[in-house]
Amino acid sequence: MISVDEAKKLIVERVSSLHPIKQEISKSLNQVLAEDVLSLIDYPPFDQSAMDGFAICHSDILEQKEIQIIGEAPAGKPFQGKISAGQSVQIFTGAKVPEGADTVIIQERVLKENGKIASDGSPLPKGANIRKKGFQIKKGDVALEHGAVLNPGAIGFLAGLGIPSITVFPKPKVSIIVTGNELQKPGIPLKDGQIYESNSFALIAALASMTIEVTKILTIGDTKNTTKKSLASPIENSDIVLVSGGISVGKYDFVGECLHELEVENIFYKIAQKPGKPLFFGKKSNCLIFGLPGNPASVMSCFYEYVYPSLRIMQGFKDAFLKTAKLRISSNYEKREGISLFLKGKTKETEVEILEGQESSNVGSFALADCLVYLPAKKGSVQAGETVEVHLLP
Ligand code: AMP
Ligand code: MG
């Protein structure tokens, strides 16, 4: 049996990012860049008016001259010609500033009469209301660095630089195998001794919230033959296989034995933690395999503490683990040393409350939780007001 810290260290050591792929920017939300992206253009690509007004020569303003309007420059339709002293072009936001002009005076600041304008006398610096060509970014400069997460702003930024596709870390291919003779699908009446299968629902939802789709889902009974057969092909064809149940040492738990026979490397089995002690983590060629203890709250704890960071590392995220906070616990909690606890908690500003229903079979407390309170193995009971480490659920 290993410690929580050792298990996490092994995850960091043994999980690597997936092979990058080229992908359209519109399909890349929340994915991580696997390259430095260079701008294809100067941005803006030309001296651009930031306002509706008149493109002028600044010296005309200083001399308080009347300025003749010689044409119009709407966005997307540059004025064909050059401005000389005493001349202006009516210009609109986003339009190219005509040659010869060095300043834009906004329309609210001019007096306009008989095809001529004059400044109302408000101070106006040279270059006002013009976004200079390339002021935001120059062609060939790094727009976004390797490792950047593509949020909606990033996708808009890249589109604005004319970049249709980029190299990102892909989404992992995930298979889920649910074991248990006693499991029935929700919606069908339970026979004597049956319970409803809930783990695949929780796992699929947790993956969906990471925008990861499950490629294959199998529900199987507790026989060695089916277990071994059902594991083989997902291990060949997935980046990660999540097995629910059957990983303990009961007579009908076949997952460990079958993974061994399928030559899956055992990286760790059993962590000194509650819930989720008999967690298995292994690898066969490039596929990761997690054997999750079947109790519904164990599945969720193990998912968030170990599977979630693995999936994030595979997708190139630098901050793979759940975000943490230090909060004051709102009541005493009894605990013995030697085992780490992950308790479903609810944060309230600087405090955290330990929820009712911490049994590993009770996933109901997860429905109310927004964090896991981590009480490390070396710690005994905690007193109300003590600061504890909290892992925030995403
Ligand atoms: P196991 O790890 O297979 O020994 O299962 C531990 C406990 O979790 C047992 O009480 C199972 O009935 C329950 N369990 C296992 N798999 C599921 C599942 N997919 N959905 C709900 N409960 C489950
Ligand atoms: Mg079972």
Side-chain angles (χ1 to χ4, degrees), residues 348-369:
K348 260 191 235 145
E349 294 166 12
T350 57
E351 265 198 355
V352 62
E353 174 198 351
I354 307 291
L355 296 169
E356 295 284 312
Q358 295 292 336
E359 309 78 25
S360 54
S361 57
N362 188 347
V363 78
S365 50
F366 254 107
L368 308 173

Side-chain angles (χ1 to χ4, degrees), residues 246-294:
I247 193 67
S248 304
V249 290
K251 185 175 165 198
Y252 295 96
D253 293 327
F254 295 112
V255 174
E257 199 179 327
C258 292
L259 291 175
H260 179 71
E261 288 180 17
L262 290 167
E263 290 171 1
V264 170
E265 179 196 359
N266 175 343
I267 298 173
F268 65 69
Y269 176 49
K270 288 192 176 164
I271 305 175
Q273 65 177 11
K274 215 169 136 186
K277 183 173 94 174
L279 175 66
F280 172 92
F281 174 53
K283 206 169 175 182
K284 185 169 181 186
S285 38
N286 284 327
C287 180
L288 304 181
I289 299 103
F290 280 95
L292 304 164

Side-chain angles (χ1 to χ4, degrees), residues 335-354:
K335 159 186 191 303
R336 67 177 171 83
E337 285 177 32
I339 189 151
S340 298
L341 301 185
F342 292 104
L343 302 166
K344 277 68 74 187
K346 180 92 185 151
T347 60
K348 260 191 235 145
E349 294 166 12
T350 57
E351 265 198 355
V352 62
E353 174 198 351
I354 307 291

